[in-house]
Every structure is written in structure tokens, then in C-alpha cells.
């Protein structure tokens, strides 16, 4: 994004910051540049938005490693709100950005001691363990977190990913089932759960994977990964003695899935080729020059 700082007044910058906050966009580099160039000496004019702007600048400064700016803005907030848990969180974030993890842990522990229902500092402690490479400790801490905040879908999803990194696919499947309880109509979650079950191997798991792939395809008929997953599951099961009675049915279903994959990819290839042809024609027509006699 190109902004002309010289032509922007403090009110223009305030409005731009507000727009970015409403759009939930960070735009960290632009925020820091506008802060330094225009708003730093005039932030007192922004009225009720001043505290929101200071917080926005702190986040942007940490993103861009401008720790001097982050410290300055955090001190301003601390003077007005001594003992604020929100300000303490920014201090912990600064320590974390500087890789001063012990200091960050101390601040986060202080926040938790004051408010045990605050989930954010507990998550930050888990993130610090991951940053230190202590994955098993992070898994343990995340399990403890989920005992208190059982409805946190993002936490279940993160725990699933961490278990998969450790090769604990059974536990990963359990975590993804918890996510599925909150989002039963998400084809992506059914697909992810199917992939975990297929990875675990064995007739029972592959049969379960086929069921989840089928549900993912039902929810989204254009899900190619689900189609190909059905083909792989059917191919595996058809070659297994445990389900020999269903071999013909499985082979037929697997062939259908493979044909659907081929049909979808052919359509997409045709659409892309047509788009390229249209762009080529437009480019050729754009180069034509009409000359008058």
C-alpha cells in the first residue's frame, strides 16, 4: 500500500488507523511509519481513540522489531492504567518478542494469578514452550488448559497438530473429533479426520476414513481430496482379505471416485486454458493500432 505521509494530517492518520482496526488488518509497517511521521506528537488530539491507537502501534512495533516504540507506548498506557492486566499482556509480548522467555513467563504467571479465567496468558505460555522447542511440555500444558477451557476449538485443533508431529495419531484423531462436535457441517474437518484415520492404517481405521471422506464429499461435492481419499480407501480395502465379500462393491466405488477426480481436473484444465486464450486475445487486440489513412 502506498501512502503519501506528507499530505496526511493527524486526523487522516487517525481515520486510517480506525479503518484498519475495523477491517482487522495489521498493516504493521504502515502503522509504524505513520506513527513516526505524523501521529506520535499529536496522539493526544485523538481523544477517546488514543488508547486503541497506542495498542495498535504496540502490536505493529513488535511485528516490525521496533521495540523502542513498543516500550514507549506501553509506558504511556502503564502510567494511566497501573496494574492493568491488558498492559501487563503487552509487556509479556515484548519480552517474548525479545526472546526473554523467563521474564515473559513471570509476567504471564502474574496475570493468571490475578485472573484465573483469563485464557490468553495460558495460551501465550504454551506458545513460549513451543518457541523453546519443548513440544512435550507444550502438549502437557495444552492438555491442562483444555481441562479448564474445553470448548476452545482452536486449542483442540492445535493439540491435534502437535500430536501428529509426535506421531500420536490416535490422540490426534480424538482431538479432531472434539473439533467435529463443534463444527459437524465442516467438510474440511471431516476430511482432516479421514486423513488421520487413513494414516493410522489397518482395515478398521481405513473403513472409518472412508466414511469420513464420504461425509466430506456429501458436504462439498467439489472436494477433490475427499474423492481421491475414497479411491485410496477403496483400493486398500478391496485388496484386504478381511472385507473380501465387498470387493466388487469397493472396486466399483473406487473406480467411480477416480473418474470423478479425472472429470473435475479436466474441467478445471479446460477453464484455465480458456482463460489463457481470452487473455491472449485481449492482449493481441490491445496491441492493435487503428491507423487513419
Amino acid at each position: 500500500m502506498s501512502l503519501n505521509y506528507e499530505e496526511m494530517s493527524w486526523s487522516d492518520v487517525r481515520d486510517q488507523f480506525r479503518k484498519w482496526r475495523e477491517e482487522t488488518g495489521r498493516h504493521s509497517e504502515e502503522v509504524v511509519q505513520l506513527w513516526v511521521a505524523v501521529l506520535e506528537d499529536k496522539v493526544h488530539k485523538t481523544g477517546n481513540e488514543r488508547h486503541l491507537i497506542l495498542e495498535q502501534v504496540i502490536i505493529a512495533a513488535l511485528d516490525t522489531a521496533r521495540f523502542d516504540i513498543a516500550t514507549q507506548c506501553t509506558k504511556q498506557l502503564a502510567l494511566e492504567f497501573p496494574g492493568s492486566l491488558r498492559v501487563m499482556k503487552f509487556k509479556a509480548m515484548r519480552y517474548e518478542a525479545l526472546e526473554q522467555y523467563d521474564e515473559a513467563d513471570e509476567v504471564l504467571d502474574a496475570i493468571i494469578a490475578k485472573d484465573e479465567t483469563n485464557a490468553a496468558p495460558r495460551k501465550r505460555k504454551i506458545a513460549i514452550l513451543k518457541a523453546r522447542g519443548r513440544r512435550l511440555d507444550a502438549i502437557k500444558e495444552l492438555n491442562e488448559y483444555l481441562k479448564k477451557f474445553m470448548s476452545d476449538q482452536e486449542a483442540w485443533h492445535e493439540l491435534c497438530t502437535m500430536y501428529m508431529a509426535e506421531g500420536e495419531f490416535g490422540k490426534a484423531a480424538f482431538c479432531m473429533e472434539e473439533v467435529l462436535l463443534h463444527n459437524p457441517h465442516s467438510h474440511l474437518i471431516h476430511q482432516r479426520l479421514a486423513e488421520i484415520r487413513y494414516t493410522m492404517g489397518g482395515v478398521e481405521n481405513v473403513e472409518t476414513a472412508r466414511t469420513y471422506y464420504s461425509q466430506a464429499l456429501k458436504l462439498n461435492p467439489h472436494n477433490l481430496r475427499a474423492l481421491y481419499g475414497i479411491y485410496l480407501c477403496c483400493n486398500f480395502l478391496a485388496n484386504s482379505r478381511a472385507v473380501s465379500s465387498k470387493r466388487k462393491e469397493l472396486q466399483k466405488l473406487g473406480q467411480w471416485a477416480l473418474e470423478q477426480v479425472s472429470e473435475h481436473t479436466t474441467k478445471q484444465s479446460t477453464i484455465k486454458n480458456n482463460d489463457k486464450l481470452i487473455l491472449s486475445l485481449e492482449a493481441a487486440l490491445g496491441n492493435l493500432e487503428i491507423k487513419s489513412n
Side-chain angles (χ1 to χ4, degrees):
M1 179 178 293
S2 178
L3 295 172
N4 191 344
Y5 306 143
E6 295 180 356
E7 295 181 0
M8 295 183 73
S9 64
W10 69 266
S11 58
D12 294 331
V13 176
R14 177 200 59 192
D15 295 341
Q16 184 64 61
F17 278 20
R18 183 191 304 142
K19 180 182 177 182
W20 284 335
R21 289 197 304 274
E22 291 172 352
E23 294 174 350
T24 64
R26 298 187 59 133
H27 303 279
S28 299
E29 291 185 3
E30 291 87 349
V31 168
V32 170
Q33 290 171 2
L34 286 170
W35 170 260
V36 173
V38 181
L39 202 56
E40 183 175 9
D41 297 329
K42 300 180 177 63
V43 67
H44 61 278
K45 295 183 177 181
T46 57
N48 294 332
E49 290 187 55
R50 188 166 70 86
H51 303 125
L52 292 174
I53 290 172
L54 287 171
E55 291 184 0
Q56 189 175 3
V57 172
I58 290 171
I59 299 297
L62 293 175
D63 284 345
T64 55
R66 288 298 306 272
F67 303 118
D68 55 329
I69 294 176
T71 302
Q72 175 192 358
C73 295
T74 303
K75 285 181 177 178
Q76 289 189 46
L77 290 174
L79 288 172
E80 294 188 54
F81 306 100
S84 165
L85 299 184
R86 197 175 182 91
V87 177
M88 290 174 69
K89 180 191 73 172
F90 289 127
K91 290 180 179 179
M93 290 172 65
R94 178 180 172 277
Y95 284 132
E96 190 176 344
L98 290 168
E99 297 186 1
Q100 297 176 0
Y101 297 128
D102 291 333
E103 290 82 351
D105 269 329
E106 289 179 7
V107 177
L108 292 171
D109 287 337
I111 296 174
I112 294 170
K114 288 186 176 182
D115 182 7
E116 294 185 357
T117 63
N118 195 336
R122 298 177 189 272
K123 286 185 174 183
R124 293 314 315 162
K125 285 177 68 67
I126 295 166
I128 289 173
L129 289 172
K130 285 185 65 179
R132 285 179 155 180
R134 295 165 56 183
R135 292 188 298 182
L136 295 179
D137 290 335
I139 289 173
K140 181 180 178 181
E141 194 72 25
L142 188 50
N143 273 298
E144 290 299 319
Y145 169 85
L146 283 167
K147 290 178 182 178
K148 298 179 175 66
F149 304 92
M150 290 179 285
S151 61
D152 191 329
Q153 300 174 49
E154 291 182 353
W156 282 113
H157 206 290
E158 178 63 23
L159 185 58
C160 172
T161 302
M162 293 169 71
Y163 273 135
M164 288 181 67
E166 296 298 319
E168 298 277 0
F169 296 109
K171 294 178 180 179
F174 173 81
C175 295
M176 193 50 59
E177 286 168 356
E178 290 290 331
V179 178
L180 185 62
L181 289 174
H182 294 91
N183 296 280
H185 302 296
S186 170
H187 69 99
L188 294 174
I189 295 175
H190 282 89
Q191 172 195 303
R192 181 75 180 274
L193 190 49
E195 290 169 349
I196 295 172
R197 287 292 182 183
Y198 182 82
T199 304
M200 291 171 70
V203 173
E204 185 178 349
N205 283 317
V206 174
E207 185 66 50
T208 304
R210 184 170 69 93
T211 303
Y212 282 120
Y213 275 130
S214 299
Q215 183 63 22
L217 187 62
K218 181 180 179 181
L219 293 169
N220 180 11
H222 302 291
N223 190 329
L224 291 182
R225 290 182 66 150
L227 277 169
Y228 193 64
I230 291 173
Y231 165 74
L232 291 175
C233 291
C234 289
N235 188 49
F236 176 90
L237 294 170
N239 294 319
S240 173
R241 294 179 181 180
V243 289
S244 57
S245 59
K246 299 180 180 179
R247 183 165 297 162
K248 289 185 178 180
E249 179 185 342
L250 290 167
Q251 288 175 342
K252 185 177 179 180
L253 178 58
Q255 185 61 33
W256 171 84
L258 194 60
E259 289 172 357
Q260 291 297 309
V261 171
S262 178
E263 183 179 332
H264 276 76
T265 52
T266 301
K267 284 182 180 178
Q268 290 299 318
S269 178
T270 303
I271 291 171
K272 288 181 180 179
N273 289 334
N274 289 339
D275 289 342
K276 288 180 180 178
L277 180 60
I278 291 170
L279 290 172
S280 299
L281 288 172
E282 288 177 349
L285 290 171
N287 290 330
L288 291 177
E289 294 182 1
I290 301 176
K291 298 181 180 180
S292 59
N293 293 329

